[in-house]
Amino acid sequence: MKAPVISSWFGRGQGETPPDIESAALRSDRFRLEREGDWKRLEAILVRMEKGGLRRIADDDLIALPALYRTAASSLSVARETSLDAATLAYLEALVQRAWFQVYGPRTGFVRWLRDFLFGGWSRAVRELWLDICIALFVMVAGTVVGWLLVAQDEAWFYRLFPANPGDVRAPGATREQLLKSLEHEEGAAGLAGFAAQLFSNNSGVCILAFALGFCFGIPSLLLLVHNMALLGALLWLFNGQGLVVELAAWLSVHGTTELFGILLSGAAGLHIGRAMAFPGKRPVLDAAALAGRRSAVVMVGVVIMMVVAALLEAFPRQLVEDTGSRFIIGGSLLAFWLAYFILYRPAPRAAEVAA
Amino acid sequence: MNARREDRRARTLLTPEGLALPITLAPRASRAGALIIDVMIIVFSLVAIPLLLALIVDGLFDDSPLARANVDDRVAEFLGILAILFAFFTWYGYFLVQELGPRGATLGKRMVGIRIAARGGARLTPEAVIARNLLRDIEIFYPLITLFVLLVVARNEAPIGILGWVMTGWFLLFLLFPFFNRDSLRAGDIVAGTWVVERPRTKLAKVLSVEGAAKGASDVTGVRYAFGEAELSIYGEKELQTLERMLRESPPEALAAVHETICRKIGWDPGAGDERAFLEAYYAQLRNRLEADLRFGKRKADKFA
């Protein structure tokens, strides 16, 4: 390779007129000279497409692109059978490959994809994971129960689950008043927005981790779910001791319905990959993993959006709304919204997606 | 040795037209280099640019309302939120938007001349790009950050136990993952169904048979070289293409050596001074003969065939 990178950044040495076709002594060179113009036109279009999307390309060129691509592809297969000119063959192979990347490249840009995703793609992907979601839900409930039982049997477990935090009153032995106070709202809204941004960053990190750990056959994803839910179970036990479980549930439900749903989905997405790798069925393992990975990636983008919503809820309404009933209404209506969106919202997929 | 390495990275891609295209997997070294460039760009824009802006604002408006001491807490908080969101979207957006673009490569990948593609000639989809980039976090950055935190904890003489080794093992497992499979896939590539290939960049070379002695007489001596059946039946396609490469690239001294070898092989008396014309004529006539055979379905791979 002779320093092609730098030279191609600056001006391109073009403008040479091709030699006369009749002057070529070899038949294969005449073949090449006859088609060279088309190849060069294709190359010029490709360079412009690679540089800056479709807007800078004339309509004529865009319409000609598929035909030019097929011309180049058929030139290549003819040349392979008739020409021994290694340089031309290498050029054609590179040209067809570059054209292939453009003609059969990603069909939609990011913005267009996001729109399709919000209006149908997301809920469809979630429904495709129904089995994994059921398993993850079971594991989460089991984790909560385990957390409760562990702490109920031996209080030492509470400190193991929540490493000692000096300022926190939420520990065994806390009075009813202390616990109730920890559920109250804070003064004003100062500092809450920053708090929300931090929560979002942290929670979506946990979710991405739960998803990515699915790569190890899904086991670590499930463990992560159990651990997180055991914390919840321990907290429930603590507040139950003072008869405050309803208040705690209301306090949690404001953002928890969204956040726990998000964690459920990310755990399920991780599990989906893990399951596909452990039990690939009739497909090769790599294909099965890739199929599952792409499906769960869609769900994960949705989870990040849910985490944004959850963080906003956690920072503002939860801290500002004090009434137990209102908290339940906020949390409950969000849960209803998510369920309706995922289960009832079923727009028909666009024709292009069906073909793909 | 080098050629054998190239061989091991060569794959075939079947287009929907049924055409087999050769592609070359990107070497692991260039992928690592591309990642390092990308991370440097991101870190630079996330750390250096805000820092610079803050310094400029501080310095320029020392007693204006924009000086740090005079900024309202709420404004500072708002800016803090903007910074967190900016960091989040830069981190994920940088890879996503660029790899979904027409080049299928981030800035770092473009610099080293590689791009991503779907394995086995399928269409690259946004889902695949998202999946491979989400996994990058647990492969590299999550363990690195954890290790860094553990390092700080350990410096403060707090016990970290076995966790340090676990994280190191995790980091190494994913870092070395591409060395343990044939296509040098990282975990994200497996989950997304993608691989990383070299971006071809070949320019159309000159036509050799229209110039100099390939067509007629030598410019230097005026001699018209003509080779007979026996002289042209010695070499095959491999030698022809080697000769082609030399005619395109090599200096006159190398051509002289080739000229002498060929003359001895075909039983001519090697002269001096007109090597290029001789080789051009020999190339054109040998290619003419081999291509004529090719049209009748006869291939001669090399001189031993």
Side-chain angles (χ1 to χ4, degrees):
Chain A
M1 240 166 73
K2 292 187 298 176
V5 181
I6 303 294
S7 71
S8 70
W9 285 3
F10 304 105
R12 281 161 199 282
Q14 284 192 1
E16 276 174 51
T17 47
D20 189 19
I21 294 172
E22 296 309 316
S23 70
L26 292 169
R27 211 200 263 201
S28 56
D29 275 347
R30 285 201 289 277
F31 169 84
R32 171 197 147 157
L33 289 171
E34 279 163 14
R35 285 156 185 77
E36 210 177 82
D38 278 350
W39 303 345
K40 290 223 166 117
R41 185 174 170 209
L42 176 61
E43 193 183 356
I45 297 176
L46 289 178
V47 167
R48 259 176 292 152
M49 281 182 87
E50 284 168 0
K51 268 207 186 109
L54 298 174
R55 248 162 288 157
R56 290 164 54 183
I57 296 166
D59 287 351
D60 289 350
D61 285 346
L62 212 54
I63 292 167
L65 179 69
L68 287 174
Y69 163 69
R70 299 226 155 79
T71 311
S74 84
S75 294
L76 174 59
S77 42
V78 173
R80 274 180 180 162
E81 298 305 318
T82 59
S83 176
L84 291 175
D85 186 356
T88 304
L89 285 174
Y91 169 79
L92 272 178
E93 278 172 354
L95 181 70
V96 174
Q97 190 190 323
R98 277 171 73 189
W100 178 80
F101 275 126
Q102 296 307 324
V103 175
Y104 293 96
R107 199 177 295 190
T108 53
F110 186 69
V111 177
R112 175 100 169 273
W113 178 83
L114 197 66
R115 212 181 51 209
D116 291 342
F117 164 80
L118 287 178
F119 296 105
W122 181 12
S123 56
R124 200 161 44 246
V126 169
R127 284 196 301 275
E128 279 169 2
L129 261 63
W130 66 272
L131 180 59
D132 307 278
I133 292 176
C134 290
I135 299 174
L137 184 65
F138 173 74
V139 169
M140 283 173 83
V141 172
T144 317
V145 173
V146 164
W148 178 301
L149 290 180
L150 276 180
V151 183
Q153 279 188 350
D154 182 1
E155 276 184 16
W157 272 100
F158 191 88
Y159 298 102
R160 249 172 251 167
L161 289 171
F162 293 93
N165 190 354
D168 201 352
V169 296
R170 287 178 288 186
T175 64
R176 185 183 160 90
E177 283 66 37
Q178 280 174 325
L179 290 178
L180 205 54
K181 188 143 177 31
S182 72
L183 297 183
E184 275 173 15
H185 71 108
E186 288 168 14
E187 297 298 320
L192 292 185
F195 181 48
Q198 235 177 10
L199 283 173
F200 160 64
S201 189
N202 178 43
N203 289 342
S204 48
V206 169
C207 286
I208 290 174
L209 187 66
F211 161 70
L213 284 175
F215 186 73
C216 311
F217 300 108
I219 310 283
S221 301
L222 294 183
L223 292 181
L224 203 67
L225 287 186
V226 169
H227 176 246
N228 269 330
M229 298 315 288
L231 297 182
L232 180 68
L235 214 56
L236 282 174
W237 170 83
L238 176 67
F239 280 78
N240 186 49
Q242 303 291 351
L244 286 173
V245 115
V246 175
E247 282 81 359
L248 177 70
W251 183 76
L252 277 176
S253 78
V254 175
H255 74 291
T257 46
T258 306
E259 189 176 295
L260 291 179
F261 209 146
I263 292 177
L264 170 71
L265 289 183
S266 53
L271 188 63
H272 189 62
I273 296 179
R275 220 162 46 91
M277 293 179 75
F279 308 105
K282 283 181 184 161
R283 291 194 186 85
V285 176
L286 282 186
D287 290 359
L291 199 68
R294 281 186 289 230
R295 206 178 285 145
S296 348
V298 178
V299 174
M300 282 314 293
V301 175
V303 168
V304 171
I305 295 176
M306 291 176 82
M307 286 301 133
V308 176
V309 176
L312 289 178
L313 287 172
E314 189 164 2
F316 294 105
R318 187 175 80 172
Q319 306 291 352
L320 300 178
V321 178
E322 203 181 347
D323 178 34
T324 301
S326 314
R327 282 176 171 175
F328 265 129
I329 288 174
I330 297 175
S333 53
L334 271 160
L335 183 64
F337 167 73
W338 291 124
L339 286 175
Y341 180 71
F342 291 136
I343 299 173
L344 301 179
Y345 181 58
R346 303 185 175 210
R350 288 185 310 118
E353 281 175 12
V354 176
Chain B
M1 185 63 201
N2 212 352
R4 267 191 55 207
R5 265 194 204 165
E6 294 257 322
D7 258 12
R8 227 180 296 157
R9 291 193 284 115
R11 297 286 182 280
T12 310
L13 182 152
L14 200 66
T15 70
E17 293 81 20
L19 192 64
L21 286 180
I23 53 171
T24 316
L25 295 182
R28 299 175 188 100
S30 27
R31 297 179 60 183
L35 182 65
I36 290 169
I37 296 175
D38 284 332
V39 170
M40 268 165 45
I41 292 173
I42 293 180
V43 169
F44 182 76
S45 53
L46 285 186
V47 175
I49 293 178
L51 209 64
L52 199 69
L53 281 180
L55 281 180
I56 292 173
V57 168
D58 265 10
L60 276 185
F61 312 103
D62 218 0
D63 38 34
S64 75
L66 280 174
R68 190 170 288 170
N70 301 338
V71 170
D72 189 6
D73 273 354
R74 296 187 182 196
V75 177
E77 187 192 326
F78 179 69
L79 290 178
I81 295 166
L82 276 192
I84 291 180
L85 289 182
F86 178 66
F88 185 84
F89 287 108
T90 312
W91 187 245
Y92 290 100
Y94 178 85
F95 288 101
L96 277 186
V97 170
Q98 291 196 80
E99 290 190 346
L100 271 178
R103 294 184 211 232
T106 57
L107 208 55
K109 287 197 178 74
R110 270 162 60 189
M111 282 182 186
V112 299
I114 58 181
R115 63 163 295 150
I116 61 166
R119 274 204 301 273
R123 186 190 286 273
L124 189 64
T125 56
E127 292 82 26
V129 176
I130 291 167
R132 78 188 296 280
N133 284 311
L134 283 184
L135 247 79
R136 183 179 284 118
D137 272 11
I138 62 140
E139 284 178 51
I140 298 180
F141 300 116
Y142 187 79
L144 266 190
I145 290 171
T146 314
L147 274 179
F148 185 71
V149 170
L150 285 178
L151 215 63
V152 174
V153 170
R155 278 206 122 187
N156 296 336
E157 321 240 316
I160 55 171
I162 201 172
L163 200 57
W165 292 111
V166 173
M167 292 316 291
T168 311
W170 176 344
F171 181 57
L172 287 181
L173 173 72
F174 283 113
L175 193 69
L176 300 180
F177 207 93
F179 291 92
F180 294 116
N181 60 75
R182 218 159 37 93
D183 295 339
S184 55
L185 306 173
R186 65 176 177 86
D189 284 324
I190 290 184
V191 165
T194 56
W195 57 16
V196 183
V197 298
E198 277 184 358
R199 200 153 45 97
R201 37 166 86 251
T202 321
K203 283 196 179 158
L204 189 53
K206 280 204 189 125
V207 187
L208 280 179
S209 77
V210 294
E211 51 190 31
K215 267 197 72 68
S218 157
D219 292 338
V220 185
T221 57
V223 179
R224 183 180 283 270
Y225 293 99
F227 301 94
E229 177 67 27
E231 284 130 11
L232 291 178
S233 61
I234 291 176
Y235 291 115
E237 287 173 22
K238 185 162 169 259
E239 291 77 25
L240 178 79
Q241 286 173 351
T242 313
L243 180 57
E244 173 193 345
R245 208 170 53 238
M246 300 205 72
L247 279 174
R248 289 187 200 281
E249 295 170 1
S250 294
E253 307 87 68
L255 290 184
V258 178
H259 169 245
E260 203 190 319
T261 315
I262 293 180
C263 281
R264 245 188 290 116
K265 190 100 182 173
I266 64 179
W268 286 27
D269 189 20
D274 200 21
E275 287 91 355
R276 188 166 180 96
F278 169 87
L279 290 177
E280 279 170 355
Y282 190 78
Y283 170 77
Q285 291 176 35
L286 177 61
R287 193 171 131 195
N288 193 16
R289 186 199 138 90
L290 288 175
E291 283 180 353
D293 283 350
L294 201 59
R295 284 195 282 277
F296 291 107
K298 265 199 294 179
R299 293 200 92 131
K300 184 172 160 70
D302 54 22
K303 60 187 173 187
F304 306 111

